[in-house]
Amino acid sequence: RRERELQAEIAEQQRIEAEKAAEEERLRRERELQAEIAEQQRIEAEKAAEEERLRRERELQAEIAEQQRIEEEKAAEEERLRRERELQAEIAEQQRIEAEKAAEEEAARLAAEEQERLRKEEALLEQQRLEEEIARLAAEEEERLRKEAALAEQRRLEEEAARLAAEAAKNRNNPNGNNEIEDIQKDLDNNSRISERLIAERDSLLNTTLDTDKKGFQNILESLISMTNDVDKIKREPGQRSSKRLIEDSKFVKYAIKPRPDAKFATKYIPGYPEGYYLIGNVFKGGTYADRFKKTLGDLGFNNAQIIVNPKNNYQYVAVQSYRNKDEAIEKYLSNIDGQYFGEMWILKIAKNKVESLKRLQRATTEIKDSVKDDTVLSEDLSYIGGHDIQKGYYLITNVFKRENYLERGLARLKSQGLEPKSFRNPKDNYTYVYLKRFDNIDEAKESLFSNVNNTYNGDLYILKIE
């Protein structure tokens, strides 16, 4: 028992010593930690003190720099003011010198002006004399050209009168000639939708006029005279800005590089001029412009240039060249008359007589009419769609509407023209189609279309085939 008590005491003593050692270890670590915290606080305090010292040092340096800047600006301002005073003194001295010089020059100028005034008065008198002489010569030249034109027109009228007399005699002996004209005209009237468009295209060429003043016409002549040199320059330097400007400004070098478009024709019977194909280079309303343009063409080597006067409007067509054969005329047109004329042109076909002119128009009308066939018109197949009562056939459509208010306006407009429009709603696209007539075959539809529905409607119109 005593041994157990002794062992218990020893164990308790060891526990107490262990606890004491642990407490001492804890206290040691606590002191070390406090020492570390104190050291850290010391280091941070020293760092903060150093940063504060550096901040104050920077502030001091900034104050010193600012002071130096202020002093430098002050010194620079004082230097500027000094130089400004010196400059003002120099300017004042320069102004004084210039004033003295100007006074001397003014005296010399007044003397020179007086001398120049006397010279100009003499030159003005001479210029007035020359202008009066030029005006007199120009008036004489214009009068000469006018008389030549009047004489040529008189000869043409005399020849035309003789031709008309011969034609009248021929018609008296051949009354069927007038019947032929009436028949052709009737056929054209029955196809007025085509013939009127062809006439409008022809007249757009025949009525293309040059409306210019004397100065503008002089510029045109100068451009024509310099055509050859300008074309050579463009061909040598096709990409240069000056060449591009020439092409933009001059109508006579337009086709120096690029090819011409297909030839445009206008066929017309003009009494007094032989049948043929004329390459028209310009059109004038009257006066002496056409004569002077023709003369300039002659100076450039176009010796066959001529003026054609349209008696209906007195327009003067200046033909650069003329040909009996159509293919040759087209060839010359496309080749710029063998590389000699690069301005705009169109071809005037002068018919042998009025009948031939009308026949050509009739043939062109027939060609267009014949091109419309059953397999070329627009078609809509509704055979596989039920629930509608749209009849098969050929409809003359004037318009197509989606909105009801537009449809009502369109119908009202047609009715106000005395027409009886009808309509149907297409089940495929739900649009409403307005039409004037319906036919069972294509020929009847074409006849009505090209006659403008018996000449009662001139608006847009086309054939729609419903299958």
Side-chain angles (χ1 to χ4, degrees), residues 206-239:
L206 294 172
N207 297 339
T208 300
T209 61
L210 177 63
D211 194 2
T212 186
D213 55 16
K214 289 184 178 180
K215 182 178 179 181
F217 179 73
Q218 187 61 36
N219 291 336
I220 288 172
L221 282 188
E222 290 174 0
S223 297
L224 177 60
I225 292 170
S226 62
M227 174 178 63
T228 303
N229 292 333
D230 291 344
V231 169
D232 290 341
K233 181 177 181 180
I234 290 170
K235 289 183 176 180
R236 287 196 311 271
E237 305 171 348

PDB file of all heavy atoms in Angstrom, residues 206-239:
ATOM      1  N   LEU A 206     -35.465  62.650-133.138  1.00  0.00           N
ATOM      2  CA  LEU A 206     -35.685  63.755-134.066  1.00  0.00           C
ATOM      3  C   LEU A 206     -35.795  65.092-133.353  1.00  0.00           C
ATOM      4  O   LEU A 206     -35.446  66.129-133.909  1.00  0.00           O
ATOM      5  CB  LEU A 206     -36.969  63.511-134.880  1.00  0.00           C
ATOM      6  CG  LEU A 206     -36.948  62.317-135.843  1.00  0.00           C
ATOM      7  CD1 LEU A 206     -38.331  62.091-136.413  1.00  0.00           C
ATOM      8  CD2 LEU A 206     -35.952  62.538-136.955  1.00  0.00           C
ATOM      9  N   ASN A 207     -36.280  65.074-132.123  1.00  0.00           N
ATOM     10  CA  ASN A 207     -36.499  66.318-131.393  1.00  0.00           C
ATOM     11  C   ASN A 207     -35.395  66.618-130.390  1.00  0.00           C
ATOM     12  O   ASN A 207     -35.552  67.481-129.536  1.00  0.00           O
ATOM     13  CB  ASN A 207     -37.844  66.273-130.658  1.00  0.00           C
ATOM     14  CG  ASN A 207     -39.004  66.162-131.631  1.00  0.00           C
ATOM     15  OD1 ASN A 207     -38.859  66.494-132.793  1.00  0.00           O
ATOM     16  ND2 ASN A 207     -40.141  65.708-131.149  1.00  0.00           N
ATOM     17  N   THR A 208     -34.277  65.888-130.465  1.00  0.00           N
ATOM     18  CA  THR A 208     -33.153  66.188-129.589  1.00  0.00           C
ATOM     19  C   THR A 208     -32.458  67.435-130.115  1.00  0.00           C
ATOM     20  O   THR A 208     -31.797  67.407-131.146  1.00  0.00           O
ATOM     21  CB  THR A 208     -32.159  65.008-129.579  1.00  0.00           C
ATOM     22  OG1 THR A 208     -32.844  63.858-129.103  1.00  0.00           O
ATOM     23  CG2 THR A 208     -30.993  65.311-128.662  1.00  0.00           C
ATOM     24  N   THR A 209     -32.628  68.542-129.433  1.00  0.00           N
ATOM     25  CA  THR A 209     -32.116  69.816-129.936  1.00  0.00           C
ATOM     26  C   THR A 209     -31.039  70.356-129.032  1.00  0.00           C
ATOM     27  O   THR A 209     -30.969  70.048-127.842  1.00  0.00           O
ATOM     28  CB  THR A 209     -33.250  70.851-130.023  1.00  0.00           C
ATOM     29  OG1 THR A 209     -33.768  71.052-128.714  1.00  0.00           O
ATOM     30  CG2 THR A 209     -34.359  70.368-130.928  1.00  0.00           C
ATOM     31  N   LEU A 210     -30.199  71.180-129.614  1.00  0.00           N
ATOM     32  CA  LEU A 210     -29.156  71.843-128.870  1.00  0.00           C
ATOM     33  C   LEU A 210     -29.599  73.275-128.635  1.00  0.00           C
ATOM     34  O   LEU A 210     -29.689  74.066-129.563  1.00  0.00           O
ATOM     35  CB  LEU A 210     -27.835  71.806-129.653  1.00  0.00           C
ATOM     36  CG  LEU A 210     -26.666  72.535-129.000  1.00  0.00           C
ATOM     37  CD1 LEU A 210     -26.330  71.869-127.681  1.00  0.00           C
ATOM     38  CD2 LEU A 210     -25.463  72.523-129.902  1.00  0.00           C
ATOM     39  N   ASP A 211     -29.925  73.591-127.393  1.00  0.00           N
ATOM     40  CA  ASP A 211     -30.396  74.921-127.044  1.00  0.00           C
ATOM     41  C   ASP A 211     -29.248  75.645-126.359  1.00  0.00           C
ATOM     42  O   ASP A 211     -29.015  75.488-125.170  1.00  0.00           O
ATOM     43  CB  ASP A 211     -31.612  74.817-126.111  1.00  0.00           C
ATOM     44  CG  ASP A 211     -32.335  76.148-125.987  1.00  0.00           C
ATOM     45  OD1 ASP A 211     -31.908  77.108-126.652  1.00  0.00           O
ATOM     46  OD2 ASP A 211     -33.311  76.210-125.214  1.00  0.00           O
ATOM     47  N   THR A 212     -28.492  76.462-127.098  1.00  0.00           N
ATOM     48  CA  THR A 212     -27.296  77.085-126.549  1.00  0.00           C
ATOM     49  C   THR A 212     -27.207  78.538-126.985  1.00  0.00           C
ATOM     50  O   THR A 212     -27.866  78.964-127.940  1.00  0.00           O
ATOM     51  CB  THR A 212     -26.039  76.318-126.999  1.00  0.00           C
ATOM     52  OG1 THR A 212     -24.895  76.855-126.353  1.00  0.00           O
ATOM     53  CG2 THR A 212     -25.856  76.417-128.499  1.00  0.00           C
ATOM     54  N   ASP A 213     -26.386  79.297-126.260  1.00  0.00           N
ATOM     55  CA  ASP A 213     -26.158  80.692-126.636  1.00  0.00           C
ATOM     56  C   ASP A 213     -24.885  80.778-127.458  1.00  0.00           C
ATOM     57  O   ASP A 213     -24.235  79.772-127.752  1.00  0.00           O
ATOM     58  CB  ASP A 213     -26.083  81.572-125.386  1.00  0.00           C
ATOM     59  CG  ASP A 213     -25.039  81.064-124.403  1.00  0.00           C
ATOM     60  OD1 ASP A 213     -24.183  80.244-124.807  1.00  0.00           O
ATOM     61  OD2 ASP A 213     -25.063  81.492-123.244  1.00  0.00           O
ATOM     62  N   LYS A 214     -24.512  81.993-127.840  1.00  0.00           N
ATOM     63  CA  LYS A 214     -23.351  82.161-128.715  1.00  0.00           C
ATOM     64  C   LYS A 214     -22.078  81.671-128.048  1.00  0.00           C
ATOM     65  O   LYS A 214     -21.229  81.025-128.681  1.00  0.00           O
ATOM     66  CB  LYS A 214     -23.211  83.628-129.106  1.00  0.00           C
ATOM     67  CG  LYS A 214     -24.296  84.109-130.064  1.00  0.00           C
ATOM     68  CD  LYS A 214     -24.042  85.546-130.496  1.00  0.00           C
ATOM     69  CE  LYS A 214     -25.106  86.015-131.496  1.00  0.00           C
ATOM     70  NZ  LYS A 214     -24.884  87.411-131.930  1.00  0.00           N
ATOM     71  N   LYS A 215     -21.933  81.988-126.739  1.00  0.00           N
ATOM     72  CA  LYS A 215     -20.725  81.574-126.041  1.00  0.00           C
ATOM     73  C   LYS A 215     -20.651  80.047-125.958  1.00  0.00           C
ATOM     74  O   LYS A 215     -19.596  79.448-126.181  1.00  0.00           O
ATOM     75  CB  LYS A 215     -20.705  82.184-124.640  1.00  0.00           C
ATOM     76  CG  LYS A 215     -19.443  81.852-123.852  1.00  0.00           C
ATOM     77  CD  LYS A 215     -19.459  82.510-122.493  1.00  0.00           C
ATOM     78  CE  LYS A 215     -18.199  82.160-121.700  1.00  0.00           C
ATOM     79  NZ  LYS A 215     -18.199  82.783-120.356  1.00  0.00           N
ATOM     80  N   GLY A 216     -21.793  79.420-125.621  1.00  0.00           N
ATOM     81  CA  GLY A 216     -21.810  77.966-125.539  1.00  0.00           C
ATOM     82  C   GLY A 216     -21.522  77.318-126.876  1.00  0.00           C
ATOM     83  O   GLY A 216     -20.801  76.319-126.957  1.00  0.00           O
ATOM     84  N   PHE A 217     -22.071  77.890-127.940  1.00  0.00           N
ATOM     85  CA  PHE A 217     -21.830  77.325-129.266  1.00  0.00           C
ATOM     86  C   PHE A 217     -20.365  77.474-129.659  1.00  0.00           C
ATOM     87  O   PHE A 217     -19.780  76.580-130.284  1.00  0.00           O
ATOM     88  CB  PHE A 217     -22.730  78.017-130.296  1.00  0.00           C
ATOM     89  CG  PHE A 217     -22.520  77.516-131.698  1.00  0.00           C
ATOM     90  CD1 PHE A 217     -22.972  76.259-132.074  1.00  0.00           C
ATOM     91  CD2 PHE A 217     -21.841  78.275-132.636  1.00  0.00           C
ATOM     92  CE1 PHE A 217     -22.771  75.784-133.353  1.00  0.00           C
ATOM     93  CE2 PHE A 217     -21.634  77.812-133.918  1.00  0.00           C
ATOM     94  CZ  PHE A 217     -22.106  76.562-134.274  1.00  0.00           C
ATOM     95  N   GLN A 218     -19.744  78.607-129.270  1.00  0.00           N
ATOM     96  CA  GLN A 218     -18.330  78.799-129.575  1.00  0.00           C
ATOM     97  C   GLN A 218     -17.485  77.739-128.876  1.00  0.00           C
ATOM     98  O   GLN A 218     -16.524  77.211-129.454  1.00  0.00           O
ATOM     99  CB  GLN A 218     -17.884  80.209-129.145  1.00  0.00           C
ATOM    100  CG  GLN A 218     -16.466  80.569-129.582  1.00  0.00           C
ATOM    101  CD  GLN A 218     -16.301  80.563-131.100  1.00  0.00           C
ATOM    102  OE1 GLN A 218     -17.216  80.939-131.834  1.00  0.00           O
ATOM    103  NE2 GLN A 218     -15.140  80.125-131.576  1.00  0.00           N
ATOM    104  N   ASN A 219     -17.854  77.400-127.643  1.00  0.00           N
ATOM    105  CA  ASN A 219     -17.129  76.337-126.921  1.00  0.00           C
ATOM    106  C   ASN A 219     -17.275  74.996-127.629  1.00  0.00           C
ATOM    107  O   ASN A 219     -16.340  74.193-127.687  1.00  0.00           O
ATOM    108  CB  ASN A 219     -17.658  76.235-125.491  1.00  0.00           C
ATOM    109  CG  ASN A 219     -17.293  77.443-124.656  1.00  0.00           C
ATOM    110  OD1 ASN A 219     -16.318  78.135-124.936  1.00  0.00           O
ATOM    111  ND2 ASN A 219     -18.076  77.702-123.616  1.00  0.00           N
ATOM    112  N   ILE A 220     -18.479  74.751-128.188  1.00  0.00           N
ATOM    113  CA  ILE A 220     -18.718  73.503-128.914  1.00  0.00           C
ATOM    114  C   ILE A 220     -17.829  73.435-130.158  1.00  0.00           C
ATOM    115  O   ILE A 220     -17.210  72.416-130.460  1.00  0.00           O
ATOM    116  CB  ILE A 220     -20.201  73.384-129.292  1.00  0.00           C
ATOM    117  CG1 ILE A 220     -21.028  73.098-128.037  1.00  0.00           C
ATOM    118  CG2 ILE A 220     -20.431  72.294-130.325  1.00  0.00           C
ATOM    119  CD1 ILE A 220     -22.503  73.155-128.263  1.00  0.00           C
ATOM    120  N   LEU A 221     -17.764  74.553-130.881  1.00  0.00           N
ATOM    121  CA  LEU A 221     -16.910  74.576-132.081  1.00  0.00           C
ATOM    122  C   LEU A 221     -15.446  74.355-131.719  1.00  0.00           C
ATOM    123  O   LEU A 221     -14.733  73.617-132.406  1.00  0.00           O
ATOM    124  CB  LEU A 221     -17.078  75.912-132.806  1.00  0.00           C
ATOM    125  CG  LEU A 221     -18.331  76.097-133.663  1.00  0.00           C
ATOM    126  CD1 LEU A 221     -18.233  77.387-134.454  1.00  0.00           C
ATOM    127  CD2 LEU A 221     -18.552  74.932-134.603  1.00  0.00           C
ATOM    128  N   GLU A 222     -14.996  74.983-130.632  1.00  0.00           N
ATOM    129  CA  GLU A 222     -13.604  74.811-130.218  1.00  0.00           C
ATOM    130  C   GLU A 222     -13.328  73.357-129.839  1.00  0.00           C
ATOM    131  O   GLU A 222     -12.259  72.820-130.157  1.00  0.00           O
ATOM    132  CB  GLU A 222     -13.303  75.743-129.042  1.00  0.00           C
ATOM    133  CG  GLU A 222     -13.279  77.225-129.442  1.00  0.00           C
ATOM    134  CD  GLU A 222     -13.118  78.148-128.237  1.00  0.00           C
ATOM    135  OE1 GLU A 222     -13.033  77.618-127.114  1.00  0.00           O
ATOM    136  OE2 GLU A 222     -13.091  79.373-128.435  1.00  0.00           O
ATOM    137  N   SER A 223     -14.290  72.719-129.172  1.00  0.00           N
ATOM    138  CA  SER A 223     -14.121  71.300-128.820  1.00  0.00           C
ATOM    139  C   SER A 223     -14.068  70.432-130.066  1.00  0.00           C
ATOM    140  O   SER A 223     -13.295  69.468-130.143  1.00  0.00           O
ATOM    141  CB  SER A 223     -15.266  70.849-127.916  1.00  0.00           C
ATOM    142  OG  SER A 223     -15.261  71.546-126.694  1.00  0.00           O
ATOM    143  N   LEU A 224     -14.910  70.759-131.070  1.00  0.00           N
ATOM    144  CA  LEU A 224     -14.913  69.999-132.318  1.00  0.00           C
ATOM    145  C   LEU A 224     -13.584  70.168-133.049  1.00  0.00           C
ATOM    146  O   LEU A 224     -13.022  69.190-133.564  1.00  0.00           O
ATOM    147  CB  LEU A 224     -16.078  70.466-133.200  1.00  0.00           C
ATOM    148  CG  LEU A 224     -16.186  69.815-134.580  1.00  0.00           C
ATOM    149  CD1 LEU A 224     -16.364  68.308-134.450  1.00  0.00           C
ATOM    150  CD2 LEU A 224     -17.346  70.413-135.364  1.00  0.00           C
ATOM    151  N   ILE A 225     -13.079  71.408-133.086  1.00  0.00           N
ATOM    152  CA  ILE A 225     -11.820  71.679-133.795  1.00  0.00           C
ATOM    153  C   ILE A 225     -10.657  70.927-133.139  1.00  0.00           C
ATOM    154  O   ILE A 225      -9.768  70.405-133.831  1.00  0.00           O
ATOM    155  CB  ILE A 225     -11.549  73.202-133.811  1.00  0.00           C
ATOM    156  CG1 ILE A 225     -12.594  73.905-134.706  1.00  0.00           C
ATOM    157  CG2 ILE A 225     -10.139  73.496-134.317  1.00  0.00           C
ATOM    158  CD1 ILE A 225     -12.571  75.407-134.607  1.00  0.00           C
ATOM    159  N   SER A 226     -10.662  70.857-131.792  1.00  0.00           N
ATOM    160  CA  SER A 226      -9.553  70.205-131.087  1.00  0.00           C
ATOM    161  C   SER A 226      -9.794  68.718-130.868  1.00  0.00           C
ATOM    162  O   SER A 226      -9.054  68.072-130.121  1.00  0.00           O
ATOM    163  CB  SER A 226      -9.313  70.891-129.734  1.00  0.00           C
ATOM    164  OG  SER A 226     -10.467  70.771-128.911  1.00  0.00           O
ATOM    165  N   MET A 227     -10.836  68.156-131.519  1.00  0.00           N
ATOM    166  CA  MET A 227     -11.201  66.758-131.295  1.00  0.00           C
ATOM    167  C   MET A 227     -10.031  65.811-131.546  1.00  0.00           C
ATOM    168  O   MET A 227      -9.721  64.954-130.703  1.00  0.00           O
ATOM    169  CB  MET A 227     -12.390  66.373-132.192  1.00  0.00           C
ATOM    170  CG  MET A 227     -12.764  64.901-132.133  1.00  0.00           C
ATOM    171  SD  MET A 227     -14.211  64.506-133.159  1.00  0.00           S
ATOM    172  CE  MET A 227     -13.569  64.928-134.794  1.00  0.00           C
ATOM    173  N   THR A 228      -9.363  65.938-132.685  1.00  0.00           N
ATOM    174  CA  THR A 228      -8.291  65.009-133.041  1.00  0.00           C
ATOM    175  C   THR A 228      -7.156  65.046-132.035  1.00  0.00           C
ATOM    176  O   THR A 228      -6.672  64.003-131.567  1.00  0.00           O
ATOM    177  CB  THR A 228      -7.756  65.330-134.440  1.00  0.00           C
ATOM    178  OG1 THR A 228      -8.833  65.270-135.388  1.00  0.00           O
ATOM    179  CG2 THR A 228      -6.684  64.326-134.851  1.00  0.00           C
ATOM    180  N   ASN A 229      -6.717  66.265-131.656  1.00  0.00           N
ATOM    181  CA  ASN A 229      -5.626  66.384-130.682  1.00  0.00           C
ATOM    182  C   ASN A 229      -6.050  65.835-129.323  1.00  0.00           C
ATOM    183  O   ASN A 229      -5.262  65.175-128.631  1.00  0.00           O
ATOM    184  CB  ASN A 229      -5.197  67.846-130.546  1.00  0.00           C
ATOM    185  CG  ASN A 229      -4.525  68.361-131.808  1.00  0.00           C
ATOM    186  OD1 ASN A 229      -3.938  67.594-132.574  1.00  0.00           O
ATOM    187  ND2 ASN A 229      -4.596  69.663-132.043  1.00  0.00           N
ATOM    188  N   ASP A 230      -7.288  66.111-128.918  1.00  0.00           N
ATOM    189  CA  ASP A 230      -7.768  65.616-127.624  1.00  0.00           C
ATOM    190  C   ASP A 230      -7.815  64.090-127.600  1.00  0.00           C
ATOM    191  O   ASP A 230      -7.452  63.465-126.601  1.00  0.00           O
ATOM    192  CB  ASP A 230      -9.157  66.187-127.322  1.00  0.00           C
ATOM    193  CG  ASP A 230      -9.122  67.682-127.038  1.00  0.00           C
ATOM    194  OD1 ASP A 230      -8.017  68.200-126.776  1.00  0.00           O
ATOM    195  OD2 ASP A 230     -10.190  68.324-127.092  1.00  0.00           O
ATOM    196  N   VAL A 231      -8.274  63.496-128.703  1.00  0.00           N
ATOM    197  CA  VAL A 231      -8.343  62.037-128.775  1.00  0.00           C
ATOM    198  C   VAL A 231      -6.942  61.429-128.700  1.00  0.00           C
ATOM    199  O   VAL A 231      -6.726  60.426-127.993  1.00  0.00           O
ATOM    200  CB  VAL A 231      -9.057  61.592-130.064  1.00  0.00           C
ATOM    201  CG1 VAL A 231      -8.893  60.092-130.285  1.00  0.00           C
ATOM    202  CG2 VAL A 231     -10.542  61.935-129.993  1.00  0.00           C
ATOM    203  N   ASP A 232      -5.976  62.027-129.405  1.00  0.00           N
ATOM    204  CA  ASP A 232      -4.599  61.523-129.342  1.00  0.00           C
ATOM    205  C   ASP A 232      -4.071  61.578-127.909  1.00  0.00           C
ATOM    206  O   ASP A 232      -3.402  60.643-127.445  1.00  0.00           O
ATOM    207  CB  ASP A 232      -3.694  62.355-130.260  1.00  0.00           C
ATOM    208  CG  ASP A 232      -3.987  62.098-131.734  1.00  0.00           C
ATOM    209  OD1 ASP A 232      -4.607  61.055-132.031  1.00  0.00           O
ATOM    210  OD2 ASP A 232      -3.615  62.933-132.574  1.00  0.00           O
ATOM    211  N   LYS A 233      -4.367  62.655-127.199  1.00  0.00           N
ATOM    212  CA  LYS A 233      -3.898  62.795-125.811  1.00  0.00           C
ATOM    213  C   LYS A 233      -4.537  61.745-124.920  1.00  0.00           C
ATOM    214  O   LYS A 233      -3.863  61.136-124.085  1.00  0.00           O
ATOM    215  CB  LYS A 233      -4.230  64.197-125.291  1.00  0.00           C
ATOM    216  CG  LYS A 233      -3.765  64.424-123.864  1.00  0.00           C
ATOM    217  CD  LYS A 233      -4.049  65.836-123.402  1.00  0.00           C
ATOM    218  CE  LYS A 233      -3.555  66.036-121.974  1.00  0.00           C
ATOM    219  NZ  LYS A 233      -3.820  67.407-121.479  1.00  0.00           N
ATOM    220  N   ILE A 234      -5.838  61.507-125.103  1.00  0.00           N
ATOM    221  CA  ILE A 234      -6.536  60.521-124.277  1.00  0.00           C
ATOM    222  C   ILE A 234      -5.985  59.127-124.529  1.00  0.00           C
ATOM    223  O   ILE A 234      -5.826  58.330-123.606  1.00  0.00           O
ATOM    224  CB  ILE A 234      -8.050  60.581-124.565  1.00  0.00           C
ATOM    225  CG1 ILE A 234      -8.625  61.893-124.020  1.00  0.00           C
ATOM    226  CG2 ILE A 234      -8.776  59.398-123.951  1.00  0.00           C
ATOM    227  CD1 ILE A 234     -10.041  62.153-124.459  1.00  0.00           C
ATOM    228  N   LYS A 235      -5.693  58.800-125.787  1.00  0.00           N
ATOM    229  CA  LYS A 235      -5.162  57.477-126.109  1.00  0.00           C
ATOM    230  C   LYS A 235      -3.743  57.300-125.571  1.00  0.00           C
ATOM    231  O   LYS A 235      -3.349  56.189-125.191  1.00  0.00           O
ATOM    232  CB  LYS A 235      -5.180  57.257-127.616  1.00  0.00           C
ATOM    233  CG  LYS A 235      -6.593  57.064-128.173  1.00  0.00           C
ATOM    234  CD  LYS A 235      -6.573  56.771-129.660  1.00  0.00           C
ATOM    235  CE  LYS A 235      -7.981  56.488-130.177  1.00  0.00           C
ATOM    236  NZ  LYS A 235      -7.990  56.201-131.627  1.00  0.00           N
ATOM    237  N   ARG A 236      -2.965  58.403-125.525  1.00  0.00           N
ATOM    238  CA  ARG A 236      -1.608  58.318-124.979  1.00  0.00           C
ATOM    239  C   ARG A 236      -1.634  58.198-123.455  1.00  0.00           C
ATOM    240  O   ARG A 236      -0.825  57.492-122.865  1.00  0.00           O
ATOM    241  CB  ARG A 236      -0.787  59.556-125.371  1.00  0.00           C
ATOM    242  CG  ARG A 236      -0.367  59.608-126.820  1.00  0.00           C
ATOM    243  CD  ARG A 236       0.744  60.639-127.027  1.00  0.00           C
ATOM    244  NE  ARG A 236       0.421  61.925-126.420  1.00  0.00           N
ATOM    245  CZ  ARG A 236      -0.236  62.906-127.054  1.00  0.00           C
ATOM    246  NH1 ARG A 236      -0.628  62.741-128.300  1.00  0.00           N
ATOM    247  NH2 ARG A 236      -0.484  64.048-126.436  1.00  0.00           N
ATOM    248  N   GLU A 237      -2.547  58.923-122.824  1.00  0.00           N
ATOM    249  CA  GLU A 237      -2.606  58.964-121.354  1.00  0.00           C
ATOM    250  C   GLU A 237      -4.026  58.646-120.898  1.00  0.00           C
ATOM    251  O   GLU A 237      -4.729  59.524-120.371  1.00  0.00           O
ATOM    252  CB  GLU A 237      -2.187  60.341-120.851  1.00  0.00           C
ATOM    253  CG  GLU A 237      -0.810  60.777-121.352  1.00  0.00           C
ATOM    254  CD  GLU A 237      -0.522  62.228-121.009  1.00  0.00           C
ATOM    255  OE1 GLU A 237      -1.453  62.936-120.601  1.00  0.00           O
ATOM    256  OE2 GLU A 237       0.643  62.646-121.148  1.00  0.00           O
ATOM    257  N   PRO A 238      -4.487  57.410-121.078  1.00  0.00           N
ATOM    258  CA  PRO A 238      -5.895  57.092-120.790  1.00  0.00           C
ATOM    259  C   PRO A 238      -6.278  57.229-119.324  1.00  0.00           C
ATOM    260  O   PRO A 238      -7.427  57.480-119.000  1.00  0.00           O
ATOM    261  CB  PRO A 238      -6.036  55.637-121.265  1.00  0.00           C
ATOM    262  CG  PRO A 238      -4.642  55.096-121.211  1.00  0.00           C
ATOM    263  CD  PRO A 238      -3.734  56.243-121.558  1.00  0.00           C
ATOM    264  N   GLY A 239      -5.309  57.071-118.411  1.00  0.00           N
ATOM    265  CA  GLY A 239      -5.659  57.098-116.994  1.00  0.00           C
ATOM    266  C   GLY A 239      -5.409  58.430-116.317  1.00  0.00           C
ATOM    267  O   GLY A 239      -5.699  58.586-115.135  1.00  0.00           O
TER     268      GLY A 239
END
